[in-house]
Structures are given as C-alpha cells and as structure tokens.
Amino acid sequence: MTYSRLIAGTMTWGSWGKQLSKKEMAVLMNFCISNHITTFDHADIYGAYTTEADFGKAFADSGLQREAIQLISKCGIQYMSDNRNNKVKHYNYSKKYIISSVEESLKHLKTDYLDLLLLHRPSPLMVAEEIAEAISLLKKDGKIRDFGVSNFTPSQMDLIGLRMDIDVNQIEFSLTEHTAMHDGTLDFMMTNGIKPMAWSPLGAVFKEDNEQTRRIHKQLGALLDKYNATEDQLLLAWLMRHPSGIHPVIGTTTKERMKLAVEATKIELELEDWFLILVAAQGHKVP
C-alpha cells in the first residue's frame, strides 16, 4: 500500500464546509500534491452525496494524472438527505448495495478504480460472507485495489477479517480520544498488519475549553521552543510517534495549516516528552 503520510480529508471541501468552487478545489489538489499529500479521503455521504461529484469535476480540470494520487471512499451509511429516500439513518452492507455504491463513487470521482474502499461504520446486521463476495467481485473487476473498515472494534475486524483481508481501519484517534491505544484496537491492528488511519487527529484541543484542554495547552506551550513547533504540529507528532504508523486524516483546507502539518512529520518527540503530553491529557500519571 502506498498512501501519503498525511491524508487530505475532503469532508469539508464541499457543501458541508468551505463550499469550494471547482477551480478552488483543483488548486487545492495541486497544492496538496506539491506538498506530498497525495491521498484524498472521501465518503459517499459527504456533502449529502454531492462532494465526490464536485471533487471529480475539479479533478478532471486539475491537470493531475490519476496515478499521481490515491482515492479513498467509504460506503454503508444511509444518510437522511434530499438526495436519498431514507426513512431513517441506517447502514446497508448488502452485496448489491456495496457494488452499486462503489460504481456511483467511481462515476462521481471520474476514475476507473478506488485505491481503497472502507466500510464506513459497523452494522449489527452485516453479514461477513456477503461483504466478502462484494469485495471479491470489486477487486476482480479492478474497481478497488485495497479494502478496509472504519470505526471497527477488534472483534468486528475479526468478524470481517476471517473472510477477507483488511488493509486499513480508519478510526477516531487523537490526544483527547486515545481509547484505541488502551482497548486493544491498535494492538490488534499491529498484530494483524492492518494500517491505522486517524480522523479528527487534533481532537478537542482547539474545539473545547475545559480542564483537560487547558492542561494540554500548558504542556504543549512548554515544549514549543524546544521543538520549534506549533501546538497543532506537536499534536500530530504525538500521534505519529505511535509504533502502529498512524496516518492522520487532516480536515483543513487552509494551505498554511497544511504546510505546518507536513512539517510535523519531521518532528520526533523524545520519549519523556511524549509521556508528558499524555499525562497532561489524562490528568494523572501512567500506572
């Protein structure tokens, strides 16, 4: 698998966020490539089923070669929107739906294949054998290259992984949401050769003002000069220090923040500094 160390999350590129024009999207794609961010993370539901199509139109005008980038998409969530006749938000992992969803994503993204398809969230009604049949056909037809899951627990990965290879699990992971480091999720992934990707890698540090985030800001502030870094760079460096080799999915569309994130890949936190940051998040020393 070849994915860039940092992954550009596109959830806010369209109507769910910045509402970038076709030209702005094309410019941002080229900026990402020039800064070694070559992987773009999508989901069929983003922008209420509109962002993939917007991205695809921009990609067609971007001048980029398909081989220069990697495209990820997710399927399974049935979202309530004007673009779908759903009575309730739910999950659909039938063979027919998985295949049709991928074909829709390919059409919208204007590509012949996805580098990676993820099941967006686990469903209590998913049947592993049926999912395996769909993935096998999609791979045979060259419509997807790699397969993975998102937000799956170890037991859910086991259920699916007994029928087919799982290449990736994209999970929520950050300094303020590091449960996966303690509940066996990352351990399971390392044991089974499953690559972790992390959505919301900065967590709640800049979104909330509470006792925990104030402790974190204080500790990060004490390390800024030592590493000649910003707080968000240290948060990414902390996450990437984990031995599982986590790929952060960054959601920003701001070029300066993207450049800072790329520079964070060069920061190697010292062992005790990594634990100082962890302790600040937990509010107590390690056991």
Side-chain angles (χ1 to χ4, degrees):
M1 293 184 295
T2 304
Y3 302 108
S4 53
R5 191 70 178 92
L6 296 178
I7 296 170
T10 66
M11 187 175 74
T12 63
W13 285 34
S15 64
W16 280 1
K18 299 298 183 179
Q19 301 182 11
L20 300 178
S21 67
K22 183 170 69 170
K23 181 179 180 180
E24 288 170 330
M25 281 195 185
V27 168
L28 191 55
M29 287 177 210
N30 277 280
F31 179 83
C32 287
I33 301 302
S34 66
N35 284 276
H36 311 292
I37 301 174
T38 61
T39 305
F40 297 87
D41 179 72
H42 289 271
D44 55 355
I45 65 169
Y46 289 168
Y49 300 98
T50 66
T51 300
E52 284 188 331
D54 291 340
F55 183 97
K57 293 171 186 174
F59 174 60
D61 288 352
S62 68
L64 294 170
Q65 297 297 311
R66 176 64 180 88
E67 296 74 19
I69 67 172
Q70 302 82 48
L71 292 175
I72 302 170
S73 194
K74 312 177 198 74
C75 75
I77 296 178
Q78 293 292 286
Y79 191 74
M80 300 280 286
S81 80
D82 292 337
N83 298 313
R84 289 289 174 97
N85 186 27
N86 292 322
K87 294 181 292 185
V88 63
K89 183 182 177 183
H90 63 285
Y91 311 113
N92 187 343
Y93 289 124
S94 68
K95 175 181 173 181
K96 179 180 179 181
Y97 182 76
I98 292 172
I99 292 173
S100 66
S101 180
V102 168
E103 290 173 345
E104 280 292 296
S105 289
L106 295 180
K107 181 178 71 175
H108 291 153
L109 291 167
K110 299 190 182 303
T111 182
D112 295 327
Y113 66 94
L114 295 176
D115 294 273
L116 174 63
L117 172 70
L118 302 177
L119 306 184
H120 205 157
R121 285 191 179 273
S123 169
L125 297 181
M126 61 189 177
V127 178
E129 291 79 7
E130 187 168 3
I131 293 170
E133 287 181 15
I135 299 308
S136 178
L137 281 172
L138 288 166
K139 284 189 172 184
K140 180 182 176 182
D141 293 341
K143 294 177 180 178
I144 67 170
R145 293 189 170 178
D146 293 331
F147 166 72
V149 296
S150 185
N151 305 298
F152 274 50
T153 65
S155 63
Q156 291 161 343
M157 284 185 278
D158 234 353
L159 173 67
I160 301 299
L162 289 174
R163 280 79 177 177
M164 72 206 89
D165 291 334
I166 297 175
D167 300 304
V168 169
N169 186 11
Q170 188 179 123
I171 58 174
E172 182 179 10
F173 189 79
S174 66
L175 182 60
T176 56
E177 181 43 78
H178 53 264
T179 307
M181 195 169 63
H182 299 300
D183 68 1
T185 299
L186 286 174
D187 297 338
F188 181 93
M189 293 165 70
M190 286 191 287
T191 301
N192 291 278
I194 300 171
K195 179 65 66 178
M197 295 178 179
W199 58 271
S200 192
L202 301 183
V205 175
F206 302 109
K207 296 176 182 176
E208 299 179 11
D209 179 18
N210 54 42
E211 186 176 333
Q212 181 193 41
T213 58
R214 287 192 289 271
R215 289 196 308 266
I216 291 170
H217 284 300
K218 181 178 179 180
Q219 182 57 69
L220 293 177
L223 295 170
L224 296 182
D225 289 341
K226 178 176 180 178
Y227 291 97
N228 189 27
T230 61
E231 289 189 355
D232 52 340
Q233 286 180 312
L234 291 180
L235 289 170
L236 290 173
W238 181 89
L239 182 150
M240 290 186 285
R241 181 73 159 76
H242 194 275
S244 61
I246 300 169
H247 289 246
V249 180
I250 58 172
T252 184
T253 58
T254 303
K255 293 178 181 178
E256 183 57 36
R257 289 189 63 195
M258 283 185 169
K259 290 186 73 170
L260 288 172
V262 172
E263 291 168 7
T265 64
K266 303 172 185 176
I267 299 173
E268 184 72 18
L269 287 177
E270 293 180 7
L271 180 67
E272 291 191 36
D273 290 339
W274 189 90
F275 278 97
L276 281 170
I277 295 171
L278 174 64
V279 167
Q282 294 185 150
H284 58 78
K285 65 182 180 181
V286 297

